[in-house]
Amino acid sequence: MRKKIVAGNWKMNTTVSEGVALAKAVAEKAAGLNNGAGIIVAPPFTHLVSVAEALKGSKVGLSAQNCADHTKGAYTGEVAVDMLVDAGCAWTILGHSERRQYYGETDEKLVEKVRLALDGGLGVILCVGENLDEREAGRHFDVVKAQTENVLFNFSAEDMKKIVIAYEPVWAIGTGKTATAEQAEEIHAYIRKVLADHFGKKVAEDMTILYGGSCKPSNAKELFAQKDIDGGLIGGASLKADDFIGIALAF
Ligand code: PGA
């Protein structure tokens, strides 16, 4: 059975004190969840140590939103995997479309980052997804296939156990425009097929594939009911504990 996960990507939102309060509220509500959903929050770097403290003893996991592509040294502004682990992270998001779009993150860079994250003991939530032009040109399958292959085919079947994929159509992120459950399911099933062709059926069946893009309590149920959708990577709705846990309750 693959893991069901709801992960909250806070992006560049909240002050440290707001983040700690949000984390505490999430931890409190998550304590009452008994549907097997794993809960993860990904605050900004500055919040990690304080949020880790706030989450102590809870069942909520801590993730970074990115990591450096080097282990240490003269890389101004970057944060290394060891530092994230030391701060209390068990996960990092990598390859979010905002990082690809605004910070020039390439699949090649992502291979290095995924390798460092796994070597350092972090689980990885790897984001893939097409933009609106690619969707309208009917290229969404090809784009997602290429992103998946370019990064993940550099790793072993054993490595795949520490990786979660998040399919996030860029046109649905923060736009209020959700992919329909059918649109999301067809890509999720396709990603699973791409994985099966390369790694074999077992790896593909065990892979947790999250949906992201304007997911909220009102649409999560239909999305999560799909055979190949194993949870969500949540942006806007993860900033309110009620909405975030409301999504986790949708399983
Ligand atoms: P959204 O963001 O839920 O605000 O659309 C999702 C994401 O970017 O991870």
Side-chain angles (χ1 to χ4, degrees):
M1 264 301 275
R2 50 190 184 246
K3 289 189 294 279
K4 294 186 279 188
I5 294 175
V6 173
N9 175 10
W10 296 1
K11 307 191 180 182
M12 199 170 70
N13 293 296
T14 72
T15 61
V16 174
S17 59
E18 287 164 354
V20 167
L22 175 58
K24 283 186 179 154
V26 168
E28 210 167 281
K29 290 176 198 299
L33 264 181
N34 51 15
N35 59 6
I39 307 293
I40 296 170
V41 293
F45 287 139
T46 48
H47 302 28
L48 291 172
V49 170
S50 313
V51 169
E53 187 62 37
L55 294 178
K56 233 176 221 160
S58 80
K59 51 178 171 190
V60 179
L62 186 62
S63 176
Q65 298 175 13
N66 182 29
C67 72
D69 55 345
H70 295 277
T71 53
K72 67 190 280 187
Y75 300 100
T76 302
E78 291 295 311
V79 180
V81 168
D82 280 0
M83 299 171 187
L84 298 175
V85 171
D86 190 44
C89 288
W91 296 89
T92 186
I93 297 170
L94 287 175
H96 190 279
S97 61
E98 288 150 16
R99 302 253 9 128
R100 293 179 189 258
Q101 191 180 343
Y102 306 137
Y103 303 99
E105 193 128 288
T106 60
D107 287 339
E108 276 147 36
K109 269 272 174 295
L110 286 169
V111 173
E112 294 165 38
K113 289 187 176 195
V114 171
R115 183 160 288 127
L116 288 171
L118 295 182
D119 287 352
L122 290 179
V124 170
I125 301 171
L126 178 73
C127 304
V128 298
E130 81 286 357
N131 63 32
L132 186 60
D133 287 348
E134 291 162 342
R135 162 79 46 177
E136 284 175 347
R139 293 182 46 228
H140 39 295
F141 289 103
D142 291 345
V143 168
V144 167
K145 181 175 195 230
Q147 289 171 335
T148 304
E149 286 179 352
N150 291 348
V151 180
L152 293 183
F153 285 15
N154 294 284
F155 296 90
S156 69
E158 195 56 29
D159 291 333
M160 290 305 114
K161 294 180 183 162
K162 309 274 294 296
I163 295 174
V164 165
I165 296 174
Y167 167 61
E168 301 203 306
V170 179
W171 47 272
I173 295 178
T175 57
K177 209 171 170 184
T178 325
T180 64
E182 294 72 33
Q183 282 173 323
E185 170 59 21
E186 87 180 336
I187 297 275
H188 281 234
Y190 180 69
I191 293 171
R192 221 179 279 293
K193 185 184 176 304
V194 169
L195 294 174
D197 289 347
H198 181 80
F199 292 107
K201 229 183 155 96
K202 170 96 175 80
V203 168
E205 275 307 310
D206 289 349
M207 176 61 71
T208 295
I209 308 179
L210 310 179
Y211 168 78
S214 301
C215 184
K216 38 188 186 271
S218 58
N219 58 27
K221 216 181 185 97
E222 200 189 346
L223 287 160
F224 296 177
Q226 305 302 311
K227 184 164 118 329
D228 292 292
I229 301 182
D230 309 310
L233 179 56
I234 318 301
S238 72
L239 296 171
K240 289 206 180 99
D242 277 335
D243 287 352
F244 184 52
I245 296 300
I247 291 170
L249 282 167
F251 283 113

PDB file of all heavy atoms in Angstrom, residues 35-49:
ATOM      1  N   ASN A  35      -7.173   8.599   9.470  1.00  0.00           N
ATOM      2  CA  ASN A  35      -7.417   7.952   8.171  1.00  0.00           C
ATOM      3  C   ASN A  35      -6.112   7.557   7.473  1.00  0.00           C
ATOM      4  O   ASN A  35      -6.105   7.270   6.281  1.00  0.00           O
ATOM      5  CB  ASN A  35      -8.260   8.859   7.267  1.00  0.00           C
ATOM      6  CG  ASN A  35      -7.593  10.199   7.011  1.00  0.00           C
ATOM      7  OD1 ASN A  35      -6.450  10.409   7.419  1.00  0.00           O
ATOM      8  ND2 ASN A  35      -8.277  11.092   6.340  1.00  0.00           N
ATOM      9  N   GLY A  36      -5.012   7.589   8.233  1.00  0.00           N
ATOM     10  CA  GLY A  36      -3.742   7.118   7.671  1.00  0.00           C
ATOM     11  C   GLY A  36      -3.008   8.139   6.831  1.00  0.00           C
ATOM     12  O   GLY A  36      -1.948   7.834   6.270  1.00  0.00           O
ATOM     13  N   ALA A  37      -3.536   9.354   6.730  1.00  0.00           N
ATOM     14  CA  ALA A  37      -2.873  10.379   5.919  1.00  0.00           C
ATOM     15  C   ALA A  37      -1.653  10.923   6.654  1.00  0.00           C
ATOM     16  O   ALA A  37      -1.745  11.302   7.819  1.00  0.00           O
ATOM     17  CB  ALA A  37      -3.844  11.512   5.609  1.00  0.00           C
ATOM     18  N   GLY A  38      -0.521  10.975   5.978  1.00  0.00           N
ATOM     19  CA  GLY A  38       0.670  11.615   6.526  1.00  0.00           C
ATOM     20  C   GLY A  38       0.566  13.113   6.284  1.00  0.00           C
ATOM     21  O   GLY A  38       0.157  13.533   5.199  1.00  0.00           O
ATOM     22  N   ILE A  39       0.925  13.900   7.283  1.00  0.00           N
ATOM     23  CA  ILE A  39       0.831  15.362   7.158  1.00  0.00           C
ATOM     24  C   ILE A  39       2.241  15.947   7.223  1.00  0.00           C
ATOM     25  O   ILE A  39       3.025  15.603   8.099  1.00  0.00           O
ATOM     26  CB  ILE A  39      -0.002  15.970   8.313  1.00  0.00           C
ATOM     27  CG1 ILE A  39      -1.364  15.287   8.427  1.00  0.00           C
ATOM     28  CG2 ILE A  39      -0.162  17.479   8.141  1.00  0.00           C
ATOM     29  CD1 ILE A  39      -2.276  15.537   7.259  1.00  0.00           C
ATOM     30  N   ILE A  40       2.522  16.858   6.288  1.00  0.00           N
ATOM     31  CA  ILE A  40       3.839  17.494   6.219  1.00  0.00           C
ATOM     32  C   ILE A  40       3.624  18.995   6.039  1.00  0.00           C
ATOM     33  O   ILE A  40       2.707  19.399   5.311  1.00  0.00           O
ATOM     34  CB  ILE A  40       4.640  16.940   5.008  1.00  0.00           C
ATOM     35  CG1 ILE A  40       4.919  15.446   5.184  1.00  0.00           C
ATOM     36  CG2 ILE A  40       5.948  17.709   4.805  1.00  0.00           C
ATOM     37  CD1 ILE A  40       5.498  14.776   3.936  1.00  0.00           C
ATOM     38  N   VAL A  41       4.448  19.810   6.704  1.00  0.00           N
ATOM     39  CA  VAL A  41       4.415  21.250   6.406  1.00  0.00           C
ATOM     40  C   VAL A  41       5.802  21.710   5.943  1.00  0.00           C
ATOM     41  O   VAL A  41       6.817  21.215   6.411  1.00  0.00           O
ATOM     42  CB  VAL A  41       3.946  22.111   7.607  1.00  0.00           C
ATOM     43  CG1 VAL A  41       2.488  21.846   7.931  1.00  0.00           C
ATOM     44  CG2 VAL A  41       4.825  21.914   8.840  1.00  0.00           C
ATOM     45  N   ALA A  42       5.792  22.661   5.010  1.00  0.00           N
ATOM     46  CA  ALA A  42       7.044  23.196   4.451  1.00  0.00           C
ATOM     47  C   ALA A  42       7.081  24.715   4.604  1.00  0.00           C
ATOM     48  O   ALA A  42       6.669  25.449   3.723  1.00  0.00           O
ATOM     49  CB  ALA A  42       7.173  22.805   2.980  1.00  0.00           C
ATOM     50  N   PRO A  43       7.570  25.183   5.752  1.00  0.00           N
ATOM     51  CA  PRO A  43       7.678  26.634   5.991  1.00  0.00           C
ATOM     52  C   PRO A  43       8.936  27.202   5.340  1.00  0.00           C
ATOM     53  O   PRO A  43       9.787  26.446   4.881  1.00  0.00           O
ATOM     54  CB  PRO A  43       7.797  26.741   7.512  1.00  0.00           C
ATOM     55  CG  PRO A  43       7.782  25.348   8.062  1.00  0.00           C
ATOM     56  CD  PRO A  43       8.006  24.401   6.920  1.00  0.00           C
ATOM     57  N   PRO A  44       9.083  28.525   5.344  1.00  0.00           N
ATOM     58  CA  PRO A  44      10.332  29.132   4.863  1.00  0.00           C
ATOM     59  C   PRO A  44      11.518  28.710   5.736  1.00  0.00           C
ATOM     60  O   PRO A  44      11.340  28.332   6.894  1.00  0.00           O
ATOM     61  CB  PRO A  44      10.070  30.634   5.019  1.00  0.00           C
ATOM     62  CG  PRO A  44       8.584  30.784   5.059  1.00  0.00           C
ATOM     63  CD  PRO A  44       8.076  29.546   5.714  1.00  0.00           C
ATOM     64  N   PHE A  45      12.733  28.824   5.209  1.00  0.00           N
ATOM     65  CA  PHE A  45      13.950  28.411   5.927  1.00  0.00           C
ATOM     66  C   PHE A  45      14.053  29.012   7.339  1.00  0.00           C
ATOM     67  O   PHE A  45      14.424  28.328   8.272  1.00  0.00           O
ATOM     68  CB  PHE A  45      15.201  28.866   5.162  1.00  0.00           C
ATOM     69  CG  PHE A  45      15.479  28.082   3.909  1.00  0.00           C
ATOM     70  CD1 PHE A  45      15.901  28.743   2.753  1.00  0.00           C
ATOM     71  CD2 PHE A  45      15.363  26.702   3.878  1.00  0.00           C
ATOM     72  CE1 PHE A  45      16.186  28.026   1.588  1.00  0.00           C
ATOM     73  CE2 PHE A  45      15.652  25.980   2.724  1.00  0.00           C
ATOM     74  CZ  PHE A  45      16.069  26.645   1.578  1.00  0.00           C
ATOM     75  N   THR A  46      13.742  30.318   7.434  1.00  0.00           N
ATOM     76  CA  THR A  46      13.929  31.019   8.720  1.00  0.00           C
ATOM     77  C   THR A  46      13.063  30.440   9.828  1.00  0.00           C
ATOM     78  O   THR A  46      13.320  30.673  11.000  1.00  0.00           O
ATOM     79  CB  THR A  46      13.563  32.513   8.573  1.00  0.00           C
ATOM     80  OG1 THR A  46      12.294  32.582   7.905  1.00  0.00           O
ATOM     81  CG2 THR A  46      14.618  33.261   7.776  1.00  0.00           C
ATOM     82  N   HIS A  47      12.005  29.708   9.457  1.00  0.00           N
ATOM     83  CA  HIS A  47      11.051  29.201  10.446  1.00  0.00           C
ATOM     84  C   HIS A  47      11.373  27.777  10.916  1.00  0.00           C
ATOM     85  O   HIS A  47      10.778  27.292  11.871  1.00  0.00           O
ATOM     86  CB  HIS A  47       9.646  29.130   9.838  1.00  0.00           C
ATOM     87  CG  HIS A  47       9.100  30.420   9.306  1.00  0.00           C
ATOM     88  ND1 HIS A  47       9.873  31.449   8.821  1.00  0.00           N
ATOM     89  CD2 HIS A  47       7.816  30.837   9.172  1.00  0.00           C
ATOM     90  CE1 HIS A  47       9.087  32.432   8.420  1.00  0.00           C
ATOM     91  NE2 HIS A  47       7.838  32.089   8.627  1.00  0.00           N
ATOM     92  N   LEU A  48      12.276  27.107  10.221  1.00  0.00           N
ATOM     93  CA  LEU A  48      12.373  25.648  10.393  1.00  0.00           C
ATOM     94  C   LEU A  48      12.667  25.224  11.829  1.00  0.00           C
ATOM     95  O   LEU A  48      12.018  24.338  12.365  1.00  0.00           O
ATOM     96  CB  LEU A  48      13.417  25.068   9.426  1.00  0.00           C
ATOM     97  CG  LEU A  48      13.003  25.127   7.951  1.00  0.00           C
ATOM     98  CD1 LEU A  48      14.164  24.708   7.049  1.00  0.00           C
ATOM     99  CD2 LEU A  48      11.782  24.255   7.676  1.00  0.00           C
ATOM    100  N   VAL A  49      13.659  25.868  12.453  1.00  0.00           N
ATOM    101  CA  VAL A  49      14.044  25.451  13.812  1.00  0.00           C
ATOM    102  C   VAL A  49      12.871  25.646  14.776  1.00  0.00           C
ATOM    103  O   VAL A  49      12.533  24.749  15.561  1.00  0.00           O
ATOM    104  CB  VAL A  49      15.301  26.228  14.278  1.00  0.00           C
ATOM    105  CG1 VAL A  49      15.566  25.979  15.758  1.00  0.00           C
ATOM    106  CG2 VAL A  49      16.510  25.806  13.446  1.00  0.00           C
TER     107      VAL A  49
END
